[in-house]
Amino acid sequence: MILTNRKIYSYVRCVKLVLHTLLLMFLFACQTDLETEVNQQPQKFIHLELATGEAGLASVTGEVAYEQRIDNVIALVFNQNNEFVYKAISSEPKYDNSKRKYDIKVSLFESENKEKYSVSLLVNPTKSTYTNFKVYEGKQKEYVLKKLLYDSESDTDGKNYPWQKLENGIPMYGETDYKEITSTTTFNTPVKLLRAVAKVDIFLNSEENNNEGSAVNYILSEVHLFNSITMGRIAPEMLHGAEQKNWERFIPSTPSMPSFDNNHKYNPSVLYKYGKVQSTVLNPIMLAENKGGIRGSSEEVTTFIIGLTPKDKLSNPKRYYRVDVVDATDDAHTAAILRNQYYKLLVRNVLGEGSDTPEEALDSKDRCDATLSIVPWKVQKRDA
C-alpha cells in the first residue's frame, strides 16, 4: 500500500493527538496524587540526631560499622495518651562524621490544644515491618509495637540468612520524649537506639596448658546455628523511667517474643564458614531473641554446633561439638537470648571424640566446656 504525504501527515497527527491525550491523563493523575500528598503534609520539620550505641567507625576509610548503620527509618507518631496518630514523612538518614551520629528530618503536624506527641523510630525495617499503618489509628502504643516485626528467616536449606553476610543494617528501635509540636519545637537528642537482635562470638581458649583436650590445640572452621527464630519484634516491651533514659545499656530480663505460627518459628541449621580461625569475631553471629530451655534439647533451644580440627592433625576430617548458652544460675537450662546483648562464648576444653555431622552433634553427649560472658555491645574501631 502506498501512502500519500497527506495520509502520512494525518496518521502522524492522529498518533500525536493520542499521545498528547495519554500524557494529559497521566499528568492529571499525578497532579491529583500530588495534591492529596500536599494536603496531607504535616506543617513542621523536626531535626533529629540518632545515636546507635557507642560511636565508632568500621575502618579508617570512614565507613560506618554495619552494627551501627542506619539505612532507612519508619517514624510513627503517638499522642500523650499513647494512641497511634499517623506515620510521619521522614528524610533519608545521613551520617555526620564529625558528630558520629545520624541526622534525619521528620515532618509533623503542629499541635492543637497544646497536645504533646512522641515519635517512635523503627530503624532498618524489613519487608514484614511495612504494613498499612492506618489500621492502627487510635490503637494503644504497646499494642501497635507488638505487631511490628522484622524478618530473620533463612531459606529452607539454611541459606540466605539475613545477618550472615554483614550486608543488612540490623533492626533497632528508639523514641523521642513527648513534646508539644510548634514552629520552634526541638526534641531531646540524640535519640538513643536499642538493637533488636543479639550478637554472639565464639572463642577458642588461647592459654597454653598441658591438657590434651584444651581448646588451644584446635582450629575452628564452622559454626552451625540451630533453632534461631525466624522473626523478631523491632521494639522491646515498653520501658519506663530510668530504664527508658538509659536503654542503650538496658539489659532486658525476658525476650520480647512475637506471636506467630510454630510451623514457621524456627530456621533450619544456618552455616557460618570461617576457614581456620580461633574466633568468629570477623563475622559475628546475629540472631533474634529466644527464650531459654532445657540444656541439650534438640528442639526450640537456640544452640551452636562448632566444627573443630586438632592443630596437629589438620588433614583429619573435622569433628562437631555442641556449645550451649548455659544459664548462670541453673546449668540444667540454657539462658534466654536477649536483644542488644553481646554473648561471648569461650571454649576451654573439648570433651569426647565429637560427631561426624552437625545433626549428630545436636543430640550427642560429647560437647565443649565453655564459659559465657554477657557484656555491653560496643562497636570496636577496626583498621582497614
Side-chain angles (χ1 to χ4, degrees), residues 123-277:
V123 175
N124 297 328
T126 67
K127 182 178 179 181
S128 291
T129 314
Y130 290 91
T131 184
N132 177 16
F133 290 99
K134 290 185 70 66
V135 301
Y136 294 126
E137 289 180 0
K139 301 291 186 182
Q140 283 292 303
K141 183 177 187 178
E142 188 169 8
Y143 172 84
V144 175
L145 295 182
K146 281 184 177 180
K147 296 290 186 180
L148 302 178
L149 307 179
Y150 66 85
D151 298 297
S152 187
E153 187 171 11
S154 71
D155 294 342
T156 54
D157 57 0
K159 296 180 179 179
N160 293 321
Y161 182 62
W163 322 119
Q164 198 168 29
K165 298 180 180 179
L166 309 185
E167 295 175 350
N168 302 293
I170 59 178
M172 295 177 269
Y173 176 78
E175 59 184 41
T176 69
D177 46 338
Y178 282 84
K179 288 288 185 72
E180 179 185 354
I181 309 303
T182 68
S183 59
T184 59
T185 296
T186 57
F187 285 101
N188 295 333
T189 59
V191 179
K192 297 175 181 178
L193 301 176
L194 186 71
R195 297 179 183 91
V197 300
K199 173 183 174 181
V200 177
D201 269 322
I202 299 173
F203 302 81
L204 299 186
N205 183 25
S206 60
E207 297 178 1
E208 295 291 344
N209 61 54
N210 296 323
N211 180 3
E212 183 179 352
S214 172
V216 73
N217 300 317
Y218 290 81
I219 291 293
L220 172 68
S221 57
E222 293 179 5
V223 176
H224 295 256
L225 170 62
F226 276 86
N227 297 327
S228 59
I229 299 291
T230 60
M231 302 185 85
R233 286 169 50 182
I234 287 193
E237 297 290 341
M238 289 183 66
L239 306 179
H240 304 280
E243 287 182 349
Q244 190 176 44
K245 292 180 180 178
N246 298 286
W247 71 0
E248 80 280 12
R249 297 182 182 275
F250 172 70
I251 300 177
S253 57
T254 58
S256 300
M257 300 287 290
S259 298
F260 51 90
D261 187 346
N262 281 336
N263 292 330
H264 303 284
K265 189 171 184 178
Y266 296 101
N267 285 312
S269 169
V270 176
L271 170 61
Y272 280 76
K273 290 187 175 182
Y274 292 98
K276 299 176 181 179
V277 299

Side-chain angles (χ1 to χ4, degrees), residues 17 53 65 71 102 146 172 188 224 291 294 304 322 354 382:
L17 181 61
D71 297 326
Y102 278 87
K146 281 184 177 180
M172 295 177 269
N188 295 333
H224 295 256
K291 63 185 189 313
I294 298 175
F304 307 90
R322 177 168 176 155
R382 303 188 183 100

Side-chain angles (χ1 to χ4, degrees), residues 204 215 218-222 277 306-310 316-321 323 347 349-350 368:
L204 299 186
Y218 290 81
I219 291 293
L220 172 68
S221 57
E222 293 179 5
V277 299
I306 61 176
L308 300 178
T309 308
N316 287 7
K318 64 179 69 68
R319 307 296 291 174
Y320 294 95
Y321 299 83
V323 181
V347 177
N349 296 295
V350 179
C368 288

